[in-house]
C-alpha cells in the first residue's frame, strides 16, 4: 500500500512539474497583447486559450481593449492578456514582383577615403568627426537632398570650412569640415562618399483598400554599405518582370533578376522595420481577397506562399510552418518557413532575394509574409505576422 502511495505521489509530482513548466513557457513566449479579428476562438494551438464569451456578439466599434485570462488547457492560469477586438479585416493578396526606386531624406555617408594633400594623407571628414552612416541634412544651413548637391558644395570652394549638420542615431549634430586640396585631382576634397538613392526588387504582400495603401517586403530597406535603414524622402513602386533566377545554394543566397517597367504601381510612403509601404496607383488583376489571421490562429503545419519566380505571374507554392515565435524582439522572424514544393525548389533552390514580401497563406487566411532566407539552408526562411503588417499599412497613410 505504501509503495502504491509513493508511486502515486511521484506521478502527481511529475504532472505538477510538467504543468508548471508549460505555465512558465507560456508566460514567456506568448504575447501580452493580442489582436482578435472577429471570433478567432482565442486559441494558441490546443494548449493555450483565453476566455471568450460565446453567448454574446461582439460590438467591434465599442469593444476596444479587454483583459482576458490566458489558461493552459482551459484550466491553469498563465497570465492576463490584453485583447483588442476588431471586425474581420480583408485585404487583396498579391505576390507580384515589383521594382523599387527610393530617394533618401538627406544624403547618407557610405564611406571615407584619405586625400593626398601637401605630401600628407589626410581625411577631412574623419577629422571633423563625421562617421559612416551619418545622414547629411544641411551644409552651411543649406538643405541637401542629393549627392550631387553635396559634391558641388564641398568641392567647389577655396578651402573654406563648412558647417555640416548630420543626423546620427535619431539626433542632430553639427560638425566643422575643412576640405583639402588634392594636387592629383586638382580640386578640394572632403574625403567621404555619399549616396542619395537606391533601387531594388521585392514582392507586394497585399493591397489595403480601406486605407488605399500597399504593403511589401516585411522588412526595411538598408543601405548596402552601412547596413543602416534608408531614410525615405520619396520613391516609386514600378512594375517589373522576372528575367532570370539565380538559384540558392547552401551558403550562397540566390536572387531574382528583373526588368523595370514604366508602369507606376504607387508612391512610397514609409520604409520601416516591418516593410516598405506606399499609396497604390492601381491594384493587380491577380490580387485575391483574403482575411487577415490573428497570430493566435497561426499554427505549425502545411501552408502556401504566393510568389512570382517565372512568367511574371504570382503562383502558390507549398511550404510548411515549422516554428512560431508569438512573442519576441525581432518581428521579422516570427515564423520559420520551409519550402516543400518540388517545382519551386527546382526553379529557385528555396527562398531567394526578391521573394521578400511573398504572402503566407494558411487555412484560407493571410498569416504572414516572407522576410529573410536562412543562407546556410535556403529551403528555409523567416516570415513576419500579417497583423503586424496590417497595422503598419494603416499608419503609413
Amino acid at each position: 500500500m505504501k509503495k502504491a502511495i509513493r508511486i502515486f505521489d511521484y506521478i502527481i509530482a511529475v504532472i505538477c512539474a510538467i504543468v508548471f513548466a508549460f505555465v512558465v513557457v507560456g508566460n514567456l513566449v506568448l504575447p501580452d497583447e493580442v489582436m482578435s479579428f472577429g471570433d478567432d476562438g482565442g486559441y494558441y494551438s490546443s494548449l493555450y486559450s483565453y476566455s471568450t464569451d460565446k453567448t454574446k456578439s461582439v460590438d467591434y466599434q465599442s469593444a476596444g481593449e479587454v483583459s482576458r485570462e490566458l489558461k493552459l488547457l482551459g484550466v491553469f492560469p498563465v497570465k492576463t492578456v490584453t485583447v483588442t477586438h476588431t471586425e474581420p479585416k480583408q485585404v487583396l493578396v498579391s505576390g507580384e514582383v515589383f521594382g523599387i526606386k527610393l530617394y533618401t531624406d538627406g544624403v547618407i555617408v557610405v564611406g571615407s577615403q584619405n586625400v593626398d594633400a601637401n605630401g600628407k594623407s589626410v581625411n577631412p571628414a574623419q577629422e571633423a568627426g563625421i562617421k559612416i552612416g551619418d545622414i547629411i541634412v544641411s551644409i552651411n544651413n543649406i538643405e541637401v537632398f542629393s549627392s550631387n548637391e553635396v559634391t558641388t558644395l564641398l568641392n567647389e570652394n577655396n578651402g573654406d570650412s563648412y558647417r555640416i549638420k548630420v543626423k546620427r542615431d535619431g539626433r542632430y549634430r553639427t560638425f566643422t569640415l575643412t576640405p583639402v586640396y588634392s594636387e592629383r585631382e586638382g580640386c578640394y576634397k572632403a574625403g567621404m562618399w555619399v549616396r542619395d538613392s537606391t533601387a531594388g526588387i521585392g514582392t507586394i504582400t497585399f493591397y489595403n483598400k480601406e486605407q488605399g495603401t500597399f504593403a511589401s517586403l516585411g522588412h526595411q530597406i538598408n543601405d548596402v554599405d552601412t547596413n543602416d535603414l534608408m531614410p525615405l524622402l520619396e520613391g516609386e513602386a514600378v512594375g517589373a518582370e522576372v528575367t532570370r533566377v539565380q538559384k540558392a545554394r547552401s551558403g550562397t543566397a540566390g536572387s531574382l533578376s528583373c526588368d523595370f517597367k514604366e508602369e507606376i504601381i504607387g508612391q512610397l510612403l514609409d520604409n520601416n522595420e516591418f516593410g516598405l509601404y506606399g499609396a497604390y496607383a492601381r491594384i493587380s488583376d491577380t490580387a485575391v481577397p483574403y482575411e487577415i489571421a490573428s497570430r493566435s490562429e497561426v499554427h505549425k503545419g502545411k501552408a502556401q506562399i504566393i510568389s512570382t519566380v517565372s512568367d511574371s505571374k504570382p503562383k502558390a507554392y507549398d511550404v510548411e510552418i515549422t516554428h512560431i515565435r508569438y512573442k519576441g524582439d525581432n518581428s521579422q522572424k516570427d515564423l520559420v518557413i520551409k519550402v516543400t514544393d518540388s517545382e519551386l525548389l527546382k526553379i529557385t533552390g528555396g527562398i531567394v532575394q526578391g521573394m521578400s514580401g511573398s504572402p503566407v497563406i494558411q487555412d484560407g487566411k493571410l498569416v504572414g509574409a516572407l522576410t529573410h532566407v536562412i543562407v546556410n539552408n535556403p529551403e528555409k526562411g523567416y516570415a513576419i505576422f500579417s497583423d503586424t503588417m496590417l497595422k503598419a499599412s494603416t499608419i503609413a497613410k
Side-chain angles (χ1 to χ4, degrees), residues 371-391:
T371 56
H372 300 86
V373 61
I374 299 175
V375 177
N376 291 330
N377 186 2
E379 293 183 6
K380 290 185 176 182
Y382 298 107
I384 185 174
F385 283 124
S386 56
D387 58 6
T388 300
M389 293 186 71
L390 176 67
K391 183 177 181 180

Side-chain angles (χ1 to χ4, degrees), residues 150-169:
V150 173
T151 301
T152 299
L153 286 171
L154 293 181
N155 292 355
E156 294 183 358
N157 70 88
N158 59 1
D160 292 337
S161 297
Y162 285 93
R163 300 285 288 174
I164 311 292
K165 184 177 181 180
V166 306
K167 188 176 182 180
R168 179 189 300 170
D169 299 330

Side-chain angles (χ1 to χ4, degrees), residues 40-299:
D40 60 23
Y43 287 92
Y44 288 93
S45 72
S46 57
L47 294 177
Y48 303 95
S49 63
Y50 53 83
S51 56
T52 56
D53 189 347
K54 299 289 186 179
T55 65
K56 297 181 181 180
S57 59
V58 179
D59 181 359
Y60 301 112
Q61 300 297 324
S62 59
E65 296 182 350
V66 294
S67 295
R68 302 292 188 193
E69 190 70 31
L70 185 69
K71 296 181 179 180
L72 172 66
L73 300 175
V75 177
F76 305 101
V78 176
K79 63 179 174 180
T80 301
V81 296
T82 300
V83 182
T84 301
H85 286 284
T86 182
E87 60 186 354
K89 298 293 184 181
Q90 189 179 81
V91 294
L92 293 172
V93 172
S94 176
E96 67 181 295
V97 69
F98 75 109
I100 301 165
K101 298 179 179 180
L102 184 151
Y103 301 93
T104 61
D105 185 11
V107 180
I108 303 175
V109 179
V110 298
S112 64
Q113 183 180 33
N114 288 348
V115 180
D116 293 327
N118 297 323
K120 296 181 180 180
S121 182
V122 296
N123 191 311
Q126 194 175 71
E127 292 178 359
I130 296 173
K131 297 181 179 180
I132 294 174
D134 285 348
I135 302 168
I136 300 175
V137 296
S138 70
I139 299 176
N140 282 353
N141 296 322
I142 301 174
E143 292 186 347
V144 292
F145 299 99
S146 73
S147 56
N148 285 338
E149 289 176 318
V150 173
T151 301
T152 299
L153 286 171
L154 293 181
N155 292 355
E156 294 183 358
N157 70 88
N158 59 1
D160 292 337
S161 297
Y162 285 93
R163 300 285 288 174
I164 311 292
K165 184 177 181 180
V166 306
K167 188 176 182 180
R168 179 189 300 170
D169 299 330
R171 296 184 176 183
Y172 292 98
R173 304 185 182 190
T174 301
F175 300 96
T176 300
L177 186 150
T178 305
V180 296
Y181 188 78
S182 170
E183 293 88 352
R184 183 170 61 85
E185 299 186 44
C187 62
Y188 283 90
K189 307 290 292 185
M192 61 183 177
W193 300 329
V194 295
R195 178 180 291 121
D196 60 10
S197 64
T198 191
I201 59 172
T203 299
I204 290 181
T205 308
F206 62 79
Y207 297 95
N208 185 346
K209 290 189 69 176
E210 184 177 317
Q211 301 295 325
T213 56
F214 69 85
S216 66
L217 298 187
H219 63 78
Q220 73 270 26
I221 295 178
N222 290 340
D223 181 80
V224 67
D225 291 304
T226 67
N227 202 36
D228 291 331
L229 184 144
M230 297 280 285
L232 175 65
L233 174 64
E234 60 182 20
E236 293 177 341
V238 299
E241 182 177 358
V242 176
T243 56
R244 187 174 66 89
V245 177
Q246 180 180 343
K247 292 183 66 172
R249 293 177 175 82
S250 179
T252 304
S255 63
L256 301 178
S257 296
C258 294
D259 285 341
F260 285 11
K261 300 179 180 179
E262 294 184 1
E263 174 195 24
I264 296 177
I265 295 175
Q267 300 295 322
L268 303 183
L269 299 176
D270 193 16
N271 175 36
N272 61 50
E273 62 179 309
F274 308 124
L276 185 66
Y277 300 85
Y280 64 76
R282 62 93 170 132
I283 295 177
S284 170
D285 294 337
T286 61
V288 179
Y290 280 92
E291 279 191 12
I292 296 280
S294 66
R295 60 189 61 193
S296 63
E297 297 178 88
V298 186
H299 58 86

Side-chain angles (χ1 to χ4, degrees), residues 337-379:
I337 306 293
K338 180 181 180 181
V339 176
T340 59
D341 196 289
S342 58
E343 181 183 357
L344 183 59
L345 290 172
K346 182 179 179 181
I347 296 172
T348 65
I351 299 169
V352 299
Q353 295 175 359
M355 290 173 62
S356 294
S358 296
V360 181
I361 307 296
Q362 187 180 62
D363 298 334
K365 290 187 177 183
L366 175 66
V367 300
L370 287 182
T371 56
H372 300 86
V373 61
I374 299 175
V375 177
N376 291 330
N377 186 2
E379 293 183 6

